[in-house]
Amino acid sequence: MSRLYTYCPSPLGDLLLAGDGERLQLIGFPDGKARTRHGEDWRQSDAPFVELIRQLSAYFAGELQDFDVALDPQGTAFQQSVWKALTTIPYGSTCSYGAIAEAVGKPRASRAVGAANGQNPIPIIIPCHRVIGSTGKLTGFGGGLPAKVTLLELEQRSSPFRLEA
């Protein structure tokens, strides 16, 4: 079965949503190093994504903190463990790569955690934007640093996140 997709308007631009019709497999950014567009053999279909679009709209409006969506991220066992750890970072909080490395039982694997974080196929819902450098400085983000700042500021409205020079 070909992958199904649609696009969702957001403050970051139109996000690509893709999956198998039952589970979300991908959120693609319109900009940044992880800029993603649909494949030629994919089939456009809005119906499987109606509820997800509602939830994303509520999230961007500051009205939703926890998503209720069936996910199917594809990756290695290590990547899966990192992505699962990312889902434990509370809304409005940040965490270092080192803390995630500790959480997955690989305390010396901060760089590998960073690589897995960068390969997260379902950003926003698997909140890789909440991972920052150990000094508190923002580091790379697939959708670009401006998108990361937008997401962090959205979640931290009471104490806006400041990008360090």
Side-chain angles (χ1 to χ4, degrees):
M1 179 163 101
S2 68
R3 187 174 270 187
L4 302 176
Y5 77 94
T6 194
Y7 286 90
C8 173
S10 83
L12 308 175
D14 289 345
L15 300 173
L16 169 64
L17 310 178
D20 63 8
E22 295 181 17
R23 298 169 301 169
L24 181 67
Q25 297 170 325
L26 175 75
I27 293 180
F29 290 107
D31 297 308
K33 67 178 177 150
R35 181 180 189 272
T36 309
R37 305 317 284 166
H38 63 276
E40 289 182 23
D41 60 336
W42 297 11
R43 190 167 50 97
Q44 197 278 329
S45 179
D46 297 336
F49 304 102
V50 170
E51 176 58 18
L52 173 58
I53 291 171
R54 185 197 67 73
Q55 289 183 42
L56 285 167
S57 296
Y59 169 81
F60 285 116
E63 301 165 355
L64 180 86
Q65 295 183 5
D66 297 306
F67 292 92
D68 183 15
V69 178
L71 304 178
D72 184 25
Q74 301 294 306
T76 67
F78 179 74
Q79 288 172 328
Q80 296 280 349
S81 70
V82 169
W83 301 335
K84 184 175 181 181
L86 297 178
T87 66
T88 68
I89 306 169
Y91 180 94
S93 299
T94 57
C95 184
S96 71
Y97 293 97
I100 297 296
E102 289 277 347
V104 299
K106 304 278 187 188
R108 296 178 183 218
S110 294
R111 288 186 183 199
V113 163
N117 201 53
Q119 295 296 313
N120 173 14
I122 310 177
I124 303 170
I125 296 174
I126 298 175
C128 54
H129 61 279
R130 296 179 189 156
V131 182
I132 60 175
S134 60
T135 63
K137 189 171 182 177
L138 294 185
T139 56
F141 184 63
L145 284 181
K148 186 170 190 163
V149 170
T150 297
L151 293 170
L152 291 172
E153 286 180 345
L154 168 74
E155 293 186 7
Q156 299 176 348
R157 289 184 191 223
S158 61
S159 62
F161 194 87
R162 292 183 184 85
L163 176 62
E164 294 182 20

